[in-house]
């Protein structure tokens, strides 16, 4: 069995999509359709930068989706491959769930682009710039990351009291990589405590908001309103969702999961284990080289392929 998977924020870079667009009219059509949906040339920003503008959450999210879907469309239209015939499941990391659902036919491309633009704006607006932060803890599992986050909050509260701080696991990526999110002061304390509590390394991430924690409650409300109005079709294949690491295909369940994932943890490690338990033996990542290594660190025997370049697409089409 096979799963097609789609990366999340952090996989963007200036120049993304250029090679795919040069090689495939189908890919160019994706970028044009996204530009028209957003009323601006996101494809030019992706191709030419500037990098700091591409890094903005409201740009990065639809850009990553567009790049992934363009890669998939090249496979489908130029390689003659149908997702429903070659994939048993889809999954995505955070915003990658929207890419996965677009790939599986639950959202059309313009709707996906507009939802991700709104999602990025809502996430940025939920917490004033400078108040939140995220950090990667390397060489620890989720239990150890929970302990580090708790110790950070406890130490600050013991020193100064005041309102409770948020410092929680945001992404359980694989057995050796966990991301925490919350108030900046608590995240910085966690980074300072991490090494003495068993982490190999801890580093603040260059993000503009504390994603996937309770501080995103206003963004979740905005997405709930938007998704109530969105036309969601049943996916061609089930989606393994972030918040529960279970396969879902019912439209109401998809809507609930997409709202919950704004404040909820991305359970990617558990998702990979659940896919393996369901019989998945091969994972194909479209538009990035982020998820495949996490898959291999979680289930070493699972085949994991990253499809980024036209040559990658052509090789996959021959193999499927």
């Amino acid at each position: 069995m096979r799963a097609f998977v789609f990366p999340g924020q952090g996989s963007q870079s200036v120049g993304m999509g250029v090679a795919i667009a040069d090689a495939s009219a189908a890919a160019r059509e994706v970028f044009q359709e996204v530009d028209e949906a957003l009323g601006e040339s996101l494809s030019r920003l992706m191709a030419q930068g500037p990098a700091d503008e591409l890094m903005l959450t409201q740009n990065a999210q639809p850009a990553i989706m567009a790049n992934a879907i363009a890669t998939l469309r090249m496979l489908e239209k130029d390689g003659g491959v149908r997702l429903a015939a070659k994939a048993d499941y889809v999954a995505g990391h955070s915003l990658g769930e929207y890419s996965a659902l677009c790939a599986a036919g639950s959202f059309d491309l313009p709707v996906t682009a507009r939802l991700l633009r709104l999602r990025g704006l809502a996430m940025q607006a939920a917490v004033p710039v400078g108040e939140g932060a995220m950090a990667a803890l390397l060489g620890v599992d989720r239990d150890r990351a929970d302990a580090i986050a708790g110790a950070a909050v406890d130490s600050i509260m013991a020193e100064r009291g005041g309102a409770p701080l948020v410092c929680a696991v945001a992404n359980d990526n694989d057995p050796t990589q966990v991301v925490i999110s919350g108030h900046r002061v608590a995240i910085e304390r966690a980074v300072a405590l991490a090494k003495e509590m068993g982490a190999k390394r801890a580093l603040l991430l260059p993000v503009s908001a504390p994603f996937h924690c309770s501080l995103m409650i206003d963004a979740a409300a905005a997405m709930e309103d938007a998704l109530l109005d969105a036309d969601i079709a049943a996916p061609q294949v089930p989606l393994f969702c972030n918040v529960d690491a279970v396969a879902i295909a019912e439209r109401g369940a998809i809507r609930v999961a997409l709202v919950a994932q704004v404040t909820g943890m991305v359970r990617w490690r558990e998702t990979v284990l659940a896919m393996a338990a369901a019989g998945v033996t091969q994972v194909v990542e479209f538009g990035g080289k982020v998820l495949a290594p996490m898959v291999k660190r979680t289930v070493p025997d699972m085949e994991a392929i990253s499809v980024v370049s036209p040559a990658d697409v052509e090789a996959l089409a021959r193999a499927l």
Side-chain angles (χ1 to χ4, degrees):
M1 298 180 78
R2 180 182 296 113
F4 285 1
V5 303
F6 300 84
Q9 198 156 337
S11 56
Q12 71 275 4
S13 63
V14 173
M16 64 191 300
V18 171
I20 290 288
D22 287 345
S24 169
R28 291 194 294 275
E29 288 171 5
V30 169
F31 295 125
Q32 181 178 353
E33 197 169 351
V34 170
D35 287 350
E36 291 172 355
L38 297 179
E40 63 184 68
S41 185
L42 181 66
S43 60
R44 183 182 300 117
L45 177 63
M46 294 165 64
Q48 302 175 9
D52 58 348
E53 189 173 342
L54 180 60
M55 288 288 289
L56 294 175
T57 301
Q58 66 264 30
N59 293 327
Q61 294 198 18
I64 292 163
M65 180 278 298
N67 184 55
I69 296 300
T71 307
L72 175 66
R73 289 282 175 84
M74 182 181 177
L75 176 71
E76 291 178 323
K77 294 192 176 182
D78 300 345
V81 172
R82 290 193 308 115
L83 179 147
K86 297 299 182 180
D88 300 283
Y89 299 99
V90 292
H93 191 283
S94 189
L95 78 91
E97 284 197 325
Y98 287 81
S99 307
L101 289 165
C102 180
S106 286
F107 294 128
D108 68 24
L109 185 58
V111 166
T112 310
R114 289 191 288 265
L115 283 171
L116 285 173
R117 168 57 55 84
L118 173 63
R119 185 177 183 269
L121 289 169
M123 286 180 151
Q124 187 60 68
V127 179
V129 174
E131 289 191 12
M134 300 180 76
L137 306 181
L138 307 181
V140 299
D141 59 14
R142 180 184 162 188
D143 288 343
R144 178 63 60 178
D146 280 332
I148 292 169
V153 171
D154 289 346
S155 66
I156 294 172
M157 299 304 291
E159 291 172 3
R160 69 184 199 188
L165 295 169
V166 173
C167 184
V169 171
N171 304 340
D172 180 10
N173 286 333
D174 65 45
T176 67
Q177 183 189 119
V178 179
V179 174
I180 56 174
S181 182
H183 287 104
R184 175 169 288 274
V185 64
I187 297 298
E188 290 175 343
R189 181 64 60 89
V191 169
L193 293 174
K195 197 161 187 180
E196 65 186 67
M197 292 187 67
K200 290 183 179 178
R201 190 180 178 199
L203 62 156
L204 289 170
L205 297 178
V207 296
S208 55
F211 307 133
H212 298 293
C213 74
S214 59
L215 297 178
M216 289 284 108
I217 187 68
D218 288 346
M223 293 312 299
E224 183 172 23
D225 290 342
L227 288 162
L228 282 174
D229 295 332
D231 184 15
I232 303 176
Q236 297 168 18
V237 298
L239 167 81
F240 266 97
C241 68
N242 286 177
V243 292
D244 297 316
V246 297
I248 58 175
E250 196 272 322
R251 289 175 289 180
I254 289 170
R255 182 177 284 110
V256 169
L258 290 177
V259 173
Q261 59 122 276
V262 178
T263 56
M265 183 195 311
V266 177
R267 300 176 182 269
W268 186 251
R269 176 185 60 84
E270 294 175 64
T271 296
V272 174
L273 292 172
M275 289 193 292
V280 172
T281 58
Q282 184 188 64
V283 167
V284 182
E285 176 184 6
F286 287 88
K289 296 182 177 181
V290 179
L291 301 182
M294 295 178 187
V295 168
K296 293 296 291 182
R297 288 193 290 268
T298 303
V299 182
D301 293 338
M302 188 177 287
E303 184 181 6
I305 302 168
S306 294
V307 181
V308 177
S309 69
D312 294 337
V313 175
E314 291 164 4
L316 180 62
R318 290 193 299 270
L320 291 177

